[in-house]
């Protein structure tokens, strides 16, 4: 099937949904307000394929910014099925990646950012060391470096204009610390993660010609999960789209904004949607959840958004479970009683269609231990997982493992995807075509000889590291944190360690093998399951004790996100006599 035929066929599947079709047909600035399960990713990727085929002439292209690397990987996979490959005319990545690769690296010197020619991205350890030295100068001794780092990060992300009274006067202590910290980084030839969008915004603001240069390359800017991306991205959009002339296609949902602790501000999407020069389209049909689950989601918000399940969707069920005892006791009840009973109601349901979601990773420890004791296979994607799910290197290794576990035969993932993602990962080390050809040969030779799902993972990783990673990683200094993550994981799967028996098949990913998903509510965003168990939904946990009004509102949205992950059953478990206010409200509204 040709590229054009692929996206036209996908477009026909949008025609029966008025909102999706209107988004596909939009011509100017467009904001799509998309509820849970409304097919927003399908709409966005089909629209991008059309833009590249019909609206944007080569060699110009389209840039797509999304929340995290996992979101970017999903978008790339969807685009690939429509014949659109990242690279060349198409950028798909995070706001940090866009800032670094499209603004800072090519233009830092001429844009007057004051960075040394050989600057690099600080590792976590280097950033902490710079902050420690800066804090000694700006504040004296700091009792908790991680706490002050979090506070400073929020301050840097929320107030972008360093020349304003707002920056100087809101919290002079944090302003001084941030300036001292950034100066210390520069002395060391470093920038940090938060620097990327901040420097990009500054470069674009101070150099109007740079906005024109980006417009020449990307006449269309697509933004996914707009509500999650913060002040820096919003400032870029305002400049690039409403001053320089890029066309905007943005998708988001203010009700799913749950990352306020890292700078997300849902009101920015709301303000964007209120502009007279922006077309607003609402996706209100829910293709995921049963009727009662959609109704319960609306009851959680306390606002009627007009969402409805599609005709023919199951009714869906909401169950409330008041459990006694500690979380360890409750988790055992979950694994030995509630979970088996739910699975018995729908014969044939698999573990990988079920998720247990909780407010904090430490609560997941009890669930994981109970699952181990009950012999239930599981995978964790929270902060206590074997490795961070956001790691680009670990994601690429997972894909490579999936290829070795049958993907080489089925084409999922395609080997070309491994090559393209590897080239982006090791960008500094693979530039010339000769280098790319050598990388391709090394990768295929290594993986072809390791197509053994039962191979001990430690041996597989060590061989992969020796024959592929070591050669290229040493030329990619910005990957040092990623390599540290891999090193820590290798220790966990090494002989005599706690996961020494893990195989390549077990590592290959939650989409390949039958495992129960254990996750925080935050980490579950963007996913869907047949059954969802919300565990530990207690007073003092959701929302936390002493939460401000804005934090309570965000906790409500987090509860909403958890419920709306489910297709047919939602189970809400809480400690007897200590239920969350959201549980009490939902029970009252459903009765």
């Amino acid at each position: 099937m040709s590229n054009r035929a692929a996206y036209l066929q996908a477009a026909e599947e949008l025609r029966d949904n008025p909102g999706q079709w209107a988004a596909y047909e939009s011509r100017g600035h467009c904001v799509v307000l998309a509820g849970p399960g409304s097919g927003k990713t399908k709409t966005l990727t089909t629209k991008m394929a059309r833009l590249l085929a019909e609206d944007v002439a080569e060699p110009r292209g389209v840039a797509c910014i999304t929340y995290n690397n996992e979101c970017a990987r999903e978008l790339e996979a969807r685009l690939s099925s429509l014949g659109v490959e990242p690279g060349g005319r198409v950028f798909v990545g995070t706001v940090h990646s866009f800032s670094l690769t499209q603004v800072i690296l090519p233009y830092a010197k001429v844009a007057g950012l004051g960075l040394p020619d050989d600057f690099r991205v600080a590792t976590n350890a280097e950033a902490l060391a710079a902050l420690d030295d800066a804090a000694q100068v700006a504040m004296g001794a700091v009792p908790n470096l991680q706490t002050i780092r979090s506070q400073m990060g929020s301050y840097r992300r929320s107030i972008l204009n360093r020349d304003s009274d707002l920056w100087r006067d809101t919290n002079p202590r944090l302003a001084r610390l941030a300036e001292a910290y950034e100066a210390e980084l520069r002395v060391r030839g470093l920038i940090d993660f938060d620097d990327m969008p901040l420097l990009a915004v500054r470069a674009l603001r101070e150099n109007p010609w740079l906005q024109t240069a980006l417009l020449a390359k990307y006449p269309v800017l697509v933004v996914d999960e707009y509500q999650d991306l913060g002040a820096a991205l919003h400032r870029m959009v305002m400049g690039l789209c409403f001053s320089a002339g890029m066309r905007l296609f943005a998708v988001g949902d203010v009700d799913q904004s749950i990352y306020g602790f890292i700078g997300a501000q849902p009101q920015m999407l709301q303000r964007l949607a209120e502009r007279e020069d922006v077309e607003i389209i609402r996706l209100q049909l829910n293709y995921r959840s049963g009727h009662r689950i959609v109704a319960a989601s609306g009851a959680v918000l306390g606002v009627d958004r007009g969402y409805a399940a599609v005709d023919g969707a199951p009714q869906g069920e909401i169950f409330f479970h008041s459990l006694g005892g500690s979380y360890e006791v409750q988790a055992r009840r979950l694994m030995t009683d509630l979970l088996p009973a739910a699975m018995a109601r729908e014969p044939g349901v698999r573990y990988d269609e079920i998720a247990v979601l909780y407010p904090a990773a430490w609560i997941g420890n009890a669930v994981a231990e109970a699952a181990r004791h009950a012999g239930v296979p599981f995978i964790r994607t929270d902060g206590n997982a074997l490795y961070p799910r956001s790691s680009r290197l670990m994601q690429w290794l997972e894909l490579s493992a999936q290829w070795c576990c049958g993907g080489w035969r089925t084409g999922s993932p395609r080997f070309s995807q491994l090559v393209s993602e590897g080239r982006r990962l090791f960008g500094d080390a693979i530039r010339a075509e000769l280098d790319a050809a050598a990388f391709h040969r090394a990768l295929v030779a290594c993986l072809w000889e390791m197509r053994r799902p039962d191979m001990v993972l430690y041996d597989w990783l060590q061989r992969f590291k020796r024959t592929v990673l070591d050669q290229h990683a040493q030329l990619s200094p910005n990957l040092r944190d990623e390599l540290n993550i891999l090193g820590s994981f290798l220790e966990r799967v090494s002989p005599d360690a706690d996961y020494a028996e893990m195989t390549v098949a077990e590592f290959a990913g939650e989409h390949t093998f039958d495992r129960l998903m254990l996750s925080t509510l935050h980490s579950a965003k963007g996913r869907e399951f047949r059954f969802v168990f919300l565990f530990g939904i207690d007073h003092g946990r959701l929302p936390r004790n002493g939460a401000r009004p804005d934090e309570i509102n965000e906790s409500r949205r987090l509860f909403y996100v958890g419920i709306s992950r489910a297709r047919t059953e939602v189970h809400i478990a809480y400690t007897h006599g200590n239920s969350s206010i959201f549980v009490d409200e939902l029970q009252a509204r459903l009765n």
Side-chain angles (χ1 to χ4, degrees), residues 112 116-117 132 189 233 235 300 323 344 365 400 439 476 479 519 568:
D117 292 342
D132 192 16
L233 182 278
R235 186 68 59 83
V300 167
L323 304 178
N365 294 340
S400 299
F439 173 73
S476 303
L479 284 178
S519 172
T568 61

Side-chain angles (χ1 to χ4, degrees), residues 113-125:
L113 293 180
L115 300 176
D117 292 342
D118 57 349
F119 77 89
R120 57 180 176 80
V121 179
T123 65
N124 183 59

Side-chain angles (χ1 to χ4, degrees), residues 70 335 354-372 376-390 398 489 492 499 502 506-507 509-510 515-520 523-524 527 529:
E70 285 191 273
M335 291 297 162
I354 307 172
V356 181
L357 312 179
Y358 29 82
W362 66 267
I363 297 176
N365 294 340
V367 181
E369 181 56 36
R372 270 191 290 267
V376 175
F378 67 89
I379 182 171
R380 294 185 73 166
T381 63
D382 58 32
N384 290 338
L386 275 172
Y387 49 88
R389 303 296 300 175
S390 59
E398 280 185 6
F489 180 61
R492 299 291 300 276
Y499 288 89
M502 180 176 278
E506 290 174 308
F507 174 68
E510 69 271 21
R515 291 184 281 179
L516 180 71
M517 173 70 74
L518 308 186
S519 172
T520 59
S523 296
R527 300 175 183 271
F529 306 91

